[in-house]
Amino acid sequence: MLYIVGIGPGNEDFFTKEAESILNNVDLIVCYKGYEKFIKRFNKPIYTSGMRKEIDRTIYALNEAKDKDVALVSSGDATIYGMASLAYELRQKNNINVPIKVIGGLTSASICSAILGAPLNHDFCVISLSDLLTPLDVILNRVKCALEGDFVIAVYNPLSKSRKEPFLKTIDIIKNYADERKINYIIGIVKNAGRDSEEYKLTTINDLINNLDEHMSYIDMNTTLIVGNSNTKIVDNKMITPRGYLNKYLKD
Amino acid sequence: MLYIVGIGPGNEDFFTKEAESILNNVDLIVCYKGYEKFIKRFNKPIYTSGMRKEIDRTIYALNEAKDKDVALVSSGDATIYGMASLAYELRQKNNINVPIKVIGGLTSASICSAILGAPLNHDFCVISLSDLLTPLDVILNRVKCALEGDFVIAVYNPLSKSRKEPFLKTIDIIKNYADERKINYIIGIVKNAGRDSEEYKLTTINDLINNLDEHMSYIDMNTTLIVGNSNTKIVDNKMITPRGYLNKYLKD
């Protein structure tokens, strides 16, 4: 049996009871080598490999799962930019006959929303700016459509040392909408969400553009941005998107 | 102290360790009366009230939290259509001086994605079709923008006995895009996700429209729909949105 287990940001607090119980009971845990520290506490045999070894790791886990209970660990939620779809695809392609069960986990958008206040408290989009597997024009079109629909936007993988173009073009698009609509969109920037070194900043699109170098040296691949919609506001230093109860029931 | 705690679908399996620990340590739990069954096991004093009593319940929790540790429980994630933004707004409006800490939980989109396969494995939107607090034209514009951007879409609160129009207009919009693009969008329908009576169906927009009465008698307020994007496919009876690894690394 292959379990594909989302472990959220990795800190013990965010494991679900189900993830905990499965990792306590499998024969082998397979994961990216950077996540080994999060699953050592289960005292199980561990197989790790590095970045861009996702296919090898998944095939290894599928093959081992023929006669063992194996957990393939994903950070966040296993089905949100995680290993789950790849496992289903590779099982079919390589004709490997093992059952798969996916165990959901807390995705970064949830964790960041709780840290910042409640910016995701209305309709939202999740967009990854990594153009390694997705053409940049598809990504940028999604950013435009998300703004056009006045969605709150959670931006994953915003920026890396070698990949700045998607970020720069994205903030350009946001700035254009901001100017056109005269809305200085609030942006929450969360680094290492749910981990010991967690930190965050609240800013706006105008401030981000005006202090671009400073913000870009802060943001990295472990950063998630949440861009507010036209109703998002700051309440007691927290970033809030109202659901609408007060407008409806407490009109003064 | 007021903790706003997301408990996912309510079944013990989906509680995070942090939610579990907080509910074990507070003096009072406040929740919607339908969720009492999920938190009775903590053996704490419980205050409940009914639907559309969100404001009263939140004010009660804030006031009690002045001299107690109180948990205001939300299903799913407390910041995703949950009680968190309302609590921040009411704290400010009523000038109640208590600290708030939000504890994230598994939102229905995560749970449903794991049940169906991995449909959320690429950029996605979450849209609620409830027009109680949001104008219908805003909702429908979001549906259009989500399709325009080729997002996967998780649809919350699709349909109730008295509220059919948002659903009918939404599937009409999806059908128009489907015809124009010649894509028969795959749709996963999950009922009571993460609860004992959980069940799901995989269908397509064309089938949904052709058997509308049957599908509409199945769908209720405890149902979440996931509408695939143009790349979503069925792999071994599971609904999968590929991340793109195989296209990039295993071109045959």
Side-chain angles (χ1 to χ4, degrees):
Chain A
M1 179 85 171
L2 179 63
Y3 296 94
I4 307 175
V5 182
I7 59 165
N11 269 13
E12 202 173 329
D13 272 354
F14 298 104
F15 278 67
T16 63
K17 283 200 158 182
E18 193 180 24
E20 193 77 14
S21 147
I22 282 164
L23 292 169
N24 271 317
N25 285 293
V26 291
D27 306 304
L28 171 70
I29 300 176
V30 177
C31 69
Y32 165 57
K33 70 177 183 316
Y35 300 153
E36 188 172 358
K37 57 184 180 237
F38 300 129
I39 46 98
K40 270 199 297 200
R41 65 187 175 87
F42 294 99
N43 295 313
K44 298 289 178 181
I46 298 174
Y47 172 91
T48 70
S49 64
M51 287 260 273
R52 308 208 179 171
K53 293 289 177 199
E54 289 83 0
I55 292 178
D56 298 351
R57 198 152 68 231
T58 305
I59 290 177
Y60 179 84
L62 280 162
N63 280 322
E64 289 293 305
K66 285 176 191 166
D67 55 9
K68 288 191 198 75
D69 282 335
V70 178
L72 176 63
V73 162
S74 241
S75 72
D77 183 286
T79 74
I80 298 178
Y81 309 112
M83 305 292 278
S85 63
L86 185 61
Y88 282 113
E89 287 184 288
L90 287 170
R91 180 178 71 169
Q92 186 189 53
K93 190 180 170 66
N94 295 353
N95 208 6
I96 301 171
N97 185 25
V98 300
I100 292 177
K101 184 171 162 64
V102 179
I103 312 299
L106 275 175
T107 188
S108 178
S110 279
I111 309 269
C112 293
S113 187
I115 292 166
L116 293 167
L120 292 190
N121 224 131
H122 211 300
D123 305 330
F124 66 95
C125 297
V126 178
I127 305 177
S128 166
L129 297 193
S130 169
D131 60 349
L132 186 66
L133 302 173
T134 307
L136 183 54
D137 61 335
V138 172
I139 297 173
L140 298 177
N141 183 49
R142 285 181 179 153
V143 172
K144 280 180 200 155
C145 292
L147 287 156
E148 197 62 47
D150 199 26
F151 284 96
V152 179
I153 313 174
V155 177
Y156 285 28
N157 308 311
L159 194 62
S160 73
K161 284 206 170 65
S162 61
R163 194 174 46 73
K164 296 186 168 29
E165 190 191 358
F167 177 79
L168 291 169
K169 292 198 161 159
T170 293
I171 59 171
D172 240 28
I173 294 170
I174 299 171
K175 174 69 173 156
N176 285 342
Y177 274 85
D179 290 347
E180 194 186 300
R181 293 177 175 172
K182 303 191 185 354
I183 298 168
N184 189 7
Y185 289 106
I186 297 169
I187 300 181
I189 306 178
V190 186
K191 210 162 152 172
N192 304 317
R195 292 179 180 160
D196 297 340
S197 47
E198 170 184 302
E199 48 182 314
Y200 74 93
K201 284 182 183 178
L202 288 175
T203 182
T204 60
I205 184 64
N206 288 340
D207 178 70
L208 200 153
I209 300 236
N210 292 336
N211 299 284
L212 192 58
D213 290 348
E214 183 196 324
H215 285 295
M216 282 181 72
S217 66
Y218 182 77
I219 297 169
D220 63 14
M221 285 300 279
N222 291 314
T223 303
T224 299
L225 269 62
I226 299 193
V227 182
N229 71 11
S230 63
N231 291 315
T232 303
K233 56 186 180 180
I234 302 292
V235 174
D236 294 334
N237 288 317
K238 292 287 180 175
M239 180 180 178
I240 304 301
T241 306
R243 179 85 192 275
Y245 291 107
L246 295 194
N247 285 343
K248 187 164 177 96
Y249 297 117
L250 287 186
K251 278 193 179 125
D252 20 21
Chain B
M1 179 84 173
L2 179 63
Y3 297 95
I4 308 176
V5 183
I7 59 165
N11 270 11
E12 202 174 329
D13 272 356
F14 298 104
F15 278 66
T16 64
K17 281 200 162 186
E18 194 180 22
E20 193 78 12
S21 146
I22 282 164
L23 292 171
N24 272 318
N25 285 293
V26 292
D27 305 304
L28 171 68
I29 301 177
V30 177
C31 69
Y32 164 57
K33 69 176 185 317
Y35 301 153
E36 188 172 356
K37 58 184 180 233
F38 300 129
I39 45 99
K40 272 198 297 196
R41 64 186 177 89
F42 293 100
N43 294 314
K44 298 287 179 185
I46 298 174
Y47 172 90
T48 69
S49 63
M51 287 258 275
R52 308 209 179 167
K53 293 290 177 196
E54 290 83 1
I55 292 179
D56 299 350
R57 198 153 66 229
T58 305
I59 291 177
Y60 180 85
L62 281 161
N63 280 322
E64 289 293 307
K66 286 176 189 165
D67 55 8
K68 291 191 195 76
D69 282 335
V70 177
L72 176 62
V73 161
S74 242
S75 72
D77 183 286
T79 76
I80 299 178
Y81 310 110
M83 305 291 280
S85 63
L86 184 61
Y88 282 112
E89 287 185 287
L90 287 171
R91 180 178 70 170
Q92 187 189 52
K93 188 180 174 63
N94 295 352
N95 207 7
I96 301 172
N97 185 24
V98 299
I100 292 176
K101 184 171 161 63
V102 179
I103 311 301
L106 275 174
T107 189
S108 178
S110 279
I111 308 267
C112 293
S113 187
I115 292 165
L116 294 168
L120 293 190
N121 224 131
H122 212 300
D123 306 330
F124 66 96
C125 296
V126 178
I127 305 176
S128 166
L129 297 193
S130 170
D131 60 351
L132 186 66
L133 302 173
T134 307
L136 183 54
D137 60 335
V138 171
I139 297 173
L140 297 177
N141 183 49
R142 285 181 179 152
V143 172
K144 280 180 199 154
C145 291
L147 286 157
E148 197 62 46
D150 199 26
F151 285 95
V152 179
I153 313 173
V155 177
Y156 285 29
N157 308 314
L159 192 63
S160 73
K161 284 207 170 66
S162 61
R163 194 176 45 74
K164 296 185 169 29
E165 191 191 356
F167 178 78
L168 290 170
K169 291 196 161 159
T170 294
I171 59 172
D172 239 29
I173 294 170
I174 299 171
K175 174 68 175 160
N176 285 341
Y177 273 85
D179 289 347
E180 193 186 301
R181 293 175 175 173
K182 299 191 188 356
I183 297 167
N184 189 8
Y185 289 106
I186 296 168
I187 300 181
I189 306 176
V190 186
K191 209 162 154 174
N192 304 317
R195 295 181 179 158
D196 297 339
S197 47
E198 170 184 301
E199 48 182 314
Y200 74 92
K201 284 182 184 178
L202 289 174
T203 181
T204 60
I205 185 63
N206 288 340
D207 179 68
L208 201 154
I209 301 236
N210 292 336
N211 300 283
L212 191 58
D213 290 347
E214 184 196 323
H215 285 295
M216 283 180 73
S217 65
Y218 182 77
I219 296 168
D220 63 16
M221 285 299 280
N222 292 314
T223 303
T224 300
L225 268 61
I226 299 192
V227 182
N229 72 11
S230 64
N231 291 316
T232 303
K233 56 187 179 178
I234 302 292
V235 174
D236 294 333
N237 288 317
K238 292 286 180 178
M239 180 179 177
I240 304 300
T241 306
R243 178 86 193 273
Y245 290 107
L246 296 194
N247 285 342
K248 184 162 179 101
Y249 297 118
L250 285 186
K251 280 194 177 121
D252 19 22

